Amino acid sequence: MKKLFTLSIVAALVGCAEKPPLTPEQQWQGYCKSVGNAARTIMLDRQNSIEKQAAIEHAEKLEDPTTKKFILEIIEEVYQLSSDQVNDNPSEKREKIRAEVTERCQTTPFDEIPEYKPF
């Protein structure tokens, strides 16, 4: 019993150890994951009949120029699709756009990590 208690204390302490800071590449990967998740949400909005202009107005409030550029491009891409394309297998379409945008973002060169809230 004492051995189990000691082992659990050690495991807790190891879990609380300070994590090394993320490299710029790791930070960019996290940013791209967030942009991909935003793309999925934009597709969901489109599937729920949110008007393109409303999506653009919301995106225009973004302060970071890199994020705003990505989001406005995603809106254009998603709203070019026909209603049938968007609503045929809707969950599959959301996952597909998330994966495509994440990958596209990850291959985009970057100079600095944009200010963003993880999504």
Side-chain angles (χ1 to χ4, degrees), residues 47-103:
Q47 291 168 336
N48 286 318
S49 302
I50 302 297
E51 296 293 325
K52 179 180 179 182
Q53 189 56 39
I56 291 172
E57 287 172 9
H58 189 69
E60 288 293 341
K61 296 176 186 174
L62 294 169
E63 294 178 12
D64 177 73
T66 302
T67 304
K68 183 185 280 188
K69 181 178 183 283
F70 272 125
I71 298 302
L72 289 172
E73 288 173 359
I74 295 165
I75 290 170
E76 287 301 320
E77 181 179 348
V78 167
Y79 281 84
Q80 285 180 1
L81 301 171
S82 72
S83 183
D84 289 341
Q85 289 175 302
V86 169
N87 292 311
D88 181 40
N89 292 321
S91 60
E92 182 180 299
K93 298 296 177 165
R94 289 191 301 271
E95 180 54 29
K96 181 179 180 204
I97 192 79
R98 185 206 58 76
E100 288 174 357
V101 168
T102 300
E103 183 177 330

Side-chain angles (χ1 to χ4, degrees), residues 11-26:
L13 290 175
V14 169
C16 294
E18 217 175 288
K19 294 180 182 177
L22 296 176
T23 66
E25 290 77 18
Q26 290 170 322

Side-chain angles (χ1 to χ4, degrees), residues 19-35:
K19 294 180 182 177
L22 296 176
T23 66
E25 290 77 18
Q26 290 170 322
Q27 291 176 25
W28 185 252
Q29 298 301 315
Y31 173 76
C32 290
K33 182 177 178 181
S34 187
V35 170

